[in-house]
Amino acid sequence: MRISEILRRKGSDVATVAPDTTVRTLLAALAERNIGAVVVSPDGNAIAGIVSERDVVRSLHARGADLLDTPVSEIMTSDVRTCAVDDRVDGLRRIMTEHRIRHLPVVHEGRLVGIVSIGDVVKSAISELATEREHLVEYLQGRY
């Protein structure tokens, strides 16, 4: 399965915030959308970074409540790994596991076109296994 298939199923909506957005506003966006990370982007197309709940918690522990009025650019991960729409999900699964990444922005022709979470990857693996199981059961029952 390719990343494009995941995006086709889930949609290509990506939550973004500008680099100067406060952590307080970021938290409101995460809660409102029930998501774990957003892409930091000055224009909705280019990727300046990514910031997750984990980044907020670690920074809050280190810096205290004053963090809430800090721009997300100060706590974001700026070295962002991305994937392409034509990448295979099994390769992405390996990258996410090895690098302990839960969210990967999807880029096509230099533009942000989606985001894939570890949940999306697991869901696709379960779907593939269910399809494979169905085919095996049909084969064993002589339906082929």
Side-chain angles (χ1 to χ4, degrees):
M1 181 180 288
R2 303 225 180 258
I3 301 305
S4 58
E5 179 64 20
I6 290 178
L7 293 181
R8 186 185 66 74
R9 291 179 183 176
K10 76 174 255 181
S12 58
D13 183 41
V14 182
T16 63
V17 295
D20 61 349
T21 301
T22 65
V23 172
R24 184 183 311 274
T25 302
L26 164 72
L27 289 172
L30 291 172
E32 180 180 306
R33 296 184 76 160
N34 195 28
I35 55 176
V38 298
V39 174
V40 180
S41 174
D43 59 6
N45 293 313
I47 300 172
I50 191 166
V51 63
S52 69
E53 294 167 325
R54 184 181 290 177
D55 296 322
V56 174
V57 169
R58 288 179 177 160
S59 297
L60 190 58
H61 174 72
R63 296 170 60 177
D66 290 341
L67 175 75
L68 296 175
D69 296 316
T70 303
V72 296
S73 60
E74 290 188 24
I75 67 166
M76 71 183 186
T77 300
S78 53
D79 183 20
V80 180
R81 290 185 183 272
T82 62
C83 61
V85 292
D86 293 331
D87 287 349
R88 296 189 54 82
V89 175
D90 54 348
L92 187 64
R93 187 179 316 124
R94 211 171 11 265
I95 289 169
M96 293 176 101
T97 302
E98 287 173 8
H99 297 282
R100 302 187 68 182
I101 299 170
R102 294 180 181 199
H103 301 87
L104 271 176
V106 183
V107 176
H108 182 66
E109 296 178 354
R111 296 175 55 108
L112 177 65
V113 296
I115 191 163
V116 177
S117 72
I118 191 68
D120 299 326
V121 171
V122 169
K123 186 177 178 179
S124 74
I126 290 170
S127 176
E128 285 181 11
L129 288 172
T131 300
E132 188 175 302
R133 179 190 175 280
E134 184 179 304
H135 289 304
L136 287 171
V137 167
E138 288 176 359
Y139 176 77
L140 291 172
Q141 292 176 350
R143 295 184 191 165
Y144 274 103

